[in-house]
């Protein structure tokens, strides 16, 4: 893998990681830290927001998969260079 391609791939990984961190922060702060599952008052909110934050989790999974593919491409390119 050329240095230019490697730098481009690392930049792509950085962008995907930034998006993943943003989604993770929203999941943690907007859902998991916001509601107390032991509080009956919060049960309705947890249920109401479940599908929305489930979508965030799906998006996060997509970003993680994209990162995995990019890292794997660098790893495979490194194997070819050996």
């Amino acid at each position: 893998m050329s240095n230019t391609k490697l730098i481009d791939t690392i930049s792509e990984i950085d962008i995907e990681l930034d998006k993943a961190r943003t989604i993770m922060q929203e999941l943690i702060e907007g859902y998991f830290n916001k509601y107390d599952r032991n509080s009956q008052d919060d049960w309705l909110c947890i249920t109401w927001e479940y599908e929305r934050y489930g979508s965030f989790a799906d998006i996060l999974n997509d970003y993680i998969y994209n990162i995995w593919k990019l890292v794997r491409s660098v790893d495979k390119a490194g194997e070819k260079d050996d």
Side-chain angles (χ1 to χ4, degrees):
M1 176 177 280
S2 71
N3 284 342
T4 304
K5 178 65 176 161
L6 180 60
I7 290 169
D8 288 347
T9 303
I10 290 171
S11 294
E12 288 180 58
I13 291 169
D14 187 51
I15 291 166
E16 293 295 307
L17 281 171
D18 189 49
K19 292 188 278 187
R21 283 190 302 264
T22 301
I23 296 293
M24 181 59 79
Q25 182 178 358
E26 177 62 29
L27 282 168
I28 291 169
E29 292 176 7
Y31 190 70
F32 290 107
N33 289 347
K34 190 172 181 179
Y35 304 114
D36 179 5
R37 68 176 183 212
N38 297 317
S39 168
Q40 282 190 328
D41 294 337
D42 283 353
W43 288 357
L44 181 59
C45 295
I46 291 169
T47 303
W48 183 262
E49 295 287 349
Y50 180 84
E51 189 170 333
R52 177 174 183 246
Y53 282 92
S55 296
F56 281 127
D58 288 340
I59 293 166
L60 179 60
N61 187 55
D62 289 343
Y63 291 145
I64 291 169
Y65 179 70
N66 290 340
I67 293 164
W68 176 83
K69 286 192 314 185
L70 290 165
V71 170
R72 189 72 185 128
S73 73
V74 171
D75 189 41
K76 284 187 178 198
E79 290 173 1
K80 289 178 186 176
D81 291 341
D82 288 339

